[in-house]
Amino acid sequence: MGAMNAPSSPYRSGFACFVGRPNAGKSTLTNALVGTKVAITSDRPQTTRHTVRGIVHRPDAQLVLVDTPGLHKPRTLLGERLNDLVRTTWAEVDVIGFCVPADQKLGPGDKFIAKELAELKKTPKVAIVTKTDLVDSKRLAEQLIAVHQLGLELGFEWAEIIPVSAVGDQQVTLVADLLTKLLPEGVPLYPDGDLTDEPEQIMVAELIREAALEGVRDELPHSLAVVVEEMLPREGRPADRPLLDIHANVYIERQSQKAIVIGAKGARLKHVGTTARKHIEALLGTPVYLDLHVKVAKDWQRDPKQLRKLGF
């Protein structure tokens, strides 16, 4: 019985993803769990393929929440590919949270996703009934029973069924408790502490650089650097419709390269902006306004002062 005094529980760390049809409350729950939106870089190869939405740091555990594209009935080859990607992600995470809103009856969309989850025999699946603040206790009880039944019909049992209102803190803590309990024992996957914006800005710059080099790599392979001057939330936006303003400069070495980057009538730069914006929004999980300028920094590759300014 001496075990009681032993250090409480082993450290656990791992990956989780939330699935559910649109508006099932996935991102609200993610933001409530993490507290602030973060995006991070890591040298662990398995983490880079999926967008990390946030990390829950606790004294005894680290829960890394990853994004999956929505699973849907494929109508196109791209749809099939996306679905394969979803299944791969689901097979790679340590626990899956299936989100169902309390205020809507289980529909074909929910059943379609649950059926796919049933195929994953080994991964623990937690059902999370969200938006409980919108229903009375009778309706909530009915939904919890319906979710339980759905698992049984498909031949599996949920590891947990948790009612949660992301508006209320206690239940969010409970979700974190129950999810971390299902993670494997292990070391922290990411450094602790507040994650600064710095890696975020570096990643954003890298995405812009990628987009700018697309199709013109041969003409300007290395003579292109991107500096993110600022990233600021647009003021006066409603909480549910945030917008992040990103101002960035694309530096090239010579005036002649400027025309290549900008393209005829600015068409190329516009395309670069659109492509980069999509990738940045996927990374940060928030709508972005991207303001791009092309500037000439003469021979910056050979000028130490310029290089420092450009972050090299």
Side-chain angles (χ1 to χ4, degrees), residues 95-174:
V95 57
I96 295 175
F98 173 59
C99 296
V100 185
D103 62 335
Q104 295 164 34
K105 281 205 153 44
L106 291 182
D110 300 312
K111 291 178 178 152
F112 177 66
I113 295 172
K115 212 163 126 190
E116 290 289 333
L117 290 178
E119 302 295 309
L120 294 170
K121 305 283 184 253
K122 292 197 196 71
T123 316
K125 296 167 276 292
V126 170
I128 302 168
V129 177
T130 60
K131 309 187 184 185
T132 55
D133 48 303
L134 303 180
V135 298
D136 58 18
S137 53
K138 180 173 173 289
R139 175 75 196 100
L140 177 58
E142 285 165 5
Q143 190 73 320
L144 294 171
I145 292 165
V147 169
H148 177 67
Q149 288 300 126
L150 177 61
L152 294 183
E153 278 165 36
L154 295 168
F156 71 89
E157 206 171 327
W158 302 102
E160 301 277 355
I161 300 178
I162 319 164
V164 58
S165 150
V167 187
D169 285 347
Q170 283 131 335
Q171 287 157 302
V172 172
T173 311
L174 178 69

Side-chain angles (χ1 to χ4, degrees), residues 5-281:
N5 309 335
S8 47
S9 48
Y11 192 91
R12 294 179 181 278
S13 62
F15 296 88
C17 71
F18 293 131
V19 303
R21 57 196 164 104
N23 300 329
K26 303 184 291 282
S27 45
T28 312
L29 181 59
T30 302
N31 294 341
L33 279 167
V34 177
T36 52
K37 278 216 177 83
V38 288
I40 37 107
T41 47
S42 162
D43 50 25
R44 296 177 76 87
Q46 80 271 30
T47 60
T48 47
R49 289 220 302 287
H50 313 297
T51 306
V52 169
R53 283 306 294 272
I55 302 173
V56 182
H57 289 287
R58 324 191 89 190
D60 58 344
Q62 190 180 68
L63 176 68
V64 182
L65 301 171
V66 297
D67 243 359
T68 51
L71 186 79
H72 53 85
K73 295 201 165 88
R75 282 187 286 277
T76 61
L77 185 63
L78 175 70
E80 299 253 352
R81 282 226 183 104
L82 271 175
N83 280 358
D84 289 343
L85 176 73
V86 174
R87 292 193 186 90
T88 321
T89 304
W90 290 4
E92 287 170 1
V93 297
D94 301 296
V95 57
I96 295 175
F98 173 59
C99 296
V100 185
D103 62 335
Q104 295 164 34
K105 281 205 153 44
L106 291 182
D110 300 312
K111 291 178 178 152
F112 177 66
I113 295 172
K115 212 163 126 190
E116 290 289 333
L117 290 178
E119 302 295 309
L120 294 170
K121 305 283 184 253
K122 292 197 196 71
T123 316
K125 296 167 276 292
V126 170
I128 302 168
V129 177
T130 60
K131 309 187 184 185
T132 55
D133 48 303
L134 303 180
V135 298
D136 58 18
S137 53
K138 180 173 173 289
R139 175 75 196 100
L140 177 58
E142 285 165 5
Q143 190 73 320
L144 294 171
I145 292 165
V147 169
H148 177 67
Q149 288 300 126
L150 177 61
L152 294 183
E153 278 165 36
L154 295 168
F156 71 89
E157 206 171 327
W158 302 102
E160 301 277 355
I161 300 178
I162 319 164
V164 58
S165 150
V167 187
D169 285 347
Q170 283 131 335
Q171 287 157 302
V172 172
T173 311
L174 178 69
V175 173
D177 288 344
L178 295 172
L179 289 176
T180 47
K181 218 189 274 170
L182 296 164
L183 298 176
E185 294 181 18
V187 297
L189 299 160
Y190 293 96
D192 187 8
D194 289 332
L195 296 153
T196 63
D197 280 353
E198 190 188 27
E200 232 172 53
Q201 293 201 355
I202 290 169
M203 287 163 89
V204 166
E206 198 41 48
L207 290 174
I208 296 170
R209 186 168 183 273
E210 277 296 299
L213 280 174
E214 201 182 301
V216 293
R217 250 170 233 284
D218 304 341
E219 298 164 85
L220 4 137
H222 301 297
S223 40
L224 198 125
V226 175
V227 176
V228 172
E229 298 292 341
E230 59 175 16
M231 286 171 48
L232 293 169
R234 174 86 53 97
E235 289 191 359
R237 297 280 294 195
D240 57 343
R241 293 200 306 118
L243 182 69
L244 187 66
D245 283 316
I246 299 180
H247 300 279
N249 291 327
V250 177
Y251 288 97
I252 52 202
E253 290 190 293
R254 291 188 292 285
Q255 197 63 40
S256 60
Q257 298 170 332
K258 200 167 175 174
I260 300 175
V261 177
I262 294 176
K265 296 204 174 97
R268 195 157 181 287
L269 187 62
K270 205 181 213 157
H271 176 69
V272 169
T274 310
T275 309
R277 195 189 76 237
K278 281 194 189 118
H279 290 301
I280 294 165
E281 291 182 337

